[in-house]
């Protein structure tokens, strides 16, 4: 379809450099093929008989525009063995990876598996077990640190960004700007000895769009799911997505945004935090925290966000939504149970009766609704988005109206 085509990265040229073996270096290796690929060319790994390429050092991608075509995330792994970053790209460069598994990268700095001052596109791939770690400096991007990241139909799982004495940003990824489509950010971690870990799933410095994304079971000191920090004039956009089961050691289990934008057809639920009172008179939300920013909520559920179990007896109230400074919520057809800020007048304020996170078909895990839920047939479906977050196998509207 035209929409699917709009998600796809540019097609590579017909000129391919073929990888012939799984050696770290030398003739026929991936390193050699990348070094001998011209701008706009692609590197073909699809015919390899071996299943793992283990790197001794990171591969520098010097060409301006390079495509790596793999045989599938279950068939070929590029592995850093817990010793080295995998790929490095410069300003103005673009690296596109398709059909690969990247694993066990390590960097004493940013980008545990991929570091780029340019553009990175990851399509139909899995990136897991990567670790970006610094001592006295900030660390950015457990799996990927890039100026621009395009993530499509991919999974970032169990990656870690860590700083011993400064900020750790983006357990899954750190990007100045991102478009993330139909992907999963799961079980990633942003941690810092000095309580400065932000964005367990992702940290977006300027603008970001998340379409059909599951942000689940991530961990951070603060903003365990997604962290948008751009402020004006940058924007945040989340649609057809599920943000669930994320855990913050301190504040905000779900989403923190300092960039105004829109959240639609999404569920933010069952996230937890261990603290809510930032300072006297400032109570941060557990689900969605708006800091000097506005959000349009349309056909979205924000509920069941609470203090983590160990903190419920010693902390104060917990809220699904809160706003600080010049901030607020607009929109329609949503369900929000608790909020410190005024909500649109048609907002439903009762329990949505969510089933636990599960595989309900499609590309990501979601929360189904129990029979009798007030969210059933109470939502809004835009003609521009005919299917739900599980993609085109599942129409957005089923029954007399769309569910929230």
């Amino acid at each position: 379809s035209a929409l699917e085509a709009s998600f796809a990265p540019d097609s590579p040229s017909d000129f391919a450099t073929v990888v012939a073996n799984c050696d770290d270096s030398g003739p026929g290796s991936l390193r050699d093929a990348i070094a001998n690929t011209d701008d706009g060319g692609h590197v073909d790994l699809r015919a390899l008989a071996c299943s793992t390429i283990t790197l001794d050092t990171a591969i520098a991608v010097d060409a301006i525009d390079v495509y790596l075509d793999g045989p599938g995330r279950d068939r070929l792994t590029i592995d850093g063995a817990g010793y080295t970053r995998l790929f490095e790209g410069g300003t103005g460069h673009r690296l596109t990876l398709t059909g690969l598994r990247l694993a066990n990268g390590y960097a004493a700095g940013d980008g545990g598996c991929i570091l780029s001052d340019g553009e990175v596109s990851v399509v139909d791939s899995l990136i897991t077990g990567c670790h970006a770690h610094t001592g006295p400096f900030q660390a950015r991007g457990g799996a990927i640190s890039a100026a621009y990241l395009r993530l499509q139909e991919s999974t970032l799982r169990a990656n870690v960004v860590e700083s011993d004495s400064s900020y750790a940003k983006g357990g899954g990824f750190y990007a100045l700007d991102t478009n993330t489509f139909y992907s999963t950010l799961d079980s990633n971690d942003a941690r810092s000895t000095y309580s400065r870990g932000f964005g367990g799933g992702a940290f977006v410095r300027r603008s970001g769009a998340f379409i059909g994304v599951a942000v689940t079971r991530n961990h951070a000191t603060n903003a365990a799911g997604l962290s948008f920090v751009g402020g004006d004039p940058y924007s945040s956009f989340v649609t057809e997505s599920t943000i669930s089961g994320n855990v913050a050691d301190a504040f905000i289990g779900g989403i923190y945004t300092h960039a105004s934008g829109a959240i639609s057809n999404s569920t933010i639920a069952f996230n937890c935090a261990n603290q809510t009172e930032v300072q006297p008179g400032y109570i941060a939300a557990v689900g969605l925290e708006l800091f000097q920013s506005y959000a349009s909520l349309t056909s979205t559920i924000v509920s069941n966000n609470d203090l983590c179990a160990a903190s419920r007896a010693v902390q104060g109230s917990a809220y699904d939504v809160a706003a600080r400074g010049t901030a607020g919520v607009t929109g329609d057809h949503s369900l929000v149970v608790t909020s410190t800020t005024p909500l649109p007048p048609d907002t439903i304020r009762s329990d949505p009766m969510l089933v636990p996170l599960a595989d309900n078909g499609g590309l990501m895990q979601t929360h189904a609704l129990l029979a009798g839920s007030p969210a059933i047939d109470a939502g809004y479906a835009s003609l521009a988005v005919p299917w739900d977050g599980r993609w085109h196998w599942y129409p957005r509207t089923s029954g007399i109206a769309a569910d929230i």
Side-chain angles (χ1 to χ4, degrees), residues 182-186 212-216 218 240-243 364-365:
Y182 299 100
S183 294
T184 294
L185 307 176
D186 180 74
V213 180
V215 183
T216 54
N218 299 287
E240 307 290 335
S241 295
T242 298
I243 293 83
M364 67 176 190
Q365 290 190 321

Side-chain angles (χ1 to χ4, degrees), residues 375-381 396-403:
I376 293 174
D377 295 334
Y380 170 77
R396 179 71 184 90
T397 300
S398 178
I400 62 174
D403 299 338

Side-chain angles (χ1 to χ4, degrees), residues 142-298:
I144 303 169
S145 178
Y148 172 75
L149 175 64
R150 186 183 189 95
L151 195 66
Q152 179 184 334
E153 296 177 63
S154 294
T155 297
L156 272 56
R157 176 171 289 125
N159 303 287
V160 177
V161 64
E162 180 178 12
S163 176
D164 293 339
S165 57
S166 187
Y167 290 97
K169 301 176 180 179
F173 71 78
Y174 171 98
L176 298 183
D177 301 284
T178 184
N179 287 306
T180 297
F181 305 106
Y182 299 100
S183 294
T184 294
L185 307 176
D186 180 74
S187 300
N188 302 288
D189 193 358
R191 58 194 186 212
S192 167
T193 304
Y194 287 84
S195 299
R196 296 176 177 176
F198 290 85
F203 187 103
V204 181
R205 180 64 186 84
R206 297 190 304 212
S207 294
F210 291 77
I211 301 173
V213 180
V215 183
T216 54
R217 293 176 286 262
N218 299 287
H219 171 265
T221 315
N222 304 286
L226 300 176
S227 184
F228 299 93
V229 302
D232 187 59
Y234 300 111
S235 63
S236 58
F237 180 73
V238 177
T239 188
E240 307 290 335
S241 295
T242 298
I243 293 83
S244 178
N246 302 289
V247 177
D249 286 340
F251 303 100
I252 311 165
I255 298 176
Y256 167 85
T257 181
H258 183 37
S260 294
I263 301 175
S264 63
N265 304 316
S266 295
T267 299
I268 305 170
F270 299 105
N271 303 286
C272 81
N274 282 286
Q275 299 179 52
T276 56
E277 188 175 12
V278 180
Q279 61 189 45
Y282 178 9
I283 303 299
V286 176
L288 172 63
E289 173 71 10
L290 307 172
F291 181 74
Q292 297 181 351
S293 62
Y294 288 87
S296 173
L297 288 185
T298 303

Side-chain angles (χ1 to χ4, degrees), residues 1 3-4 7 182 239-240 265 380-398 402:
S1 71
L3 184 56
E4 290 175 60
F7 291 161
Y182 299 100
T239 188
E240 307 290 335
N265 304 316
Y380 170 77
S382 167
L383 293 177
V385 185
W387 50 81
D388 68 22
R390 297 169 295 173
W391 214 2
H392 54 259
W393 300 279
Y394 301 92
R396 179 71 184 90
T397 300
S398 178

Side-chain angles (χ1 to χ4, degrees), residues 301 303 333-337 346-354 369-379 402-404:
I301 293 173
S303 74
H333 291 84
S334 290
L335 185 156
V336 178
V337 177
D346 70 341
T347 303
I348 297 172
R349 305 300 298 273
S350 54
D351 182 359
M353 302 168 61
L354 294 170
L369 298 169
L370 289 171
S373 166
I376 293 174
D377 295 334
D403 299 338
I404 301 179

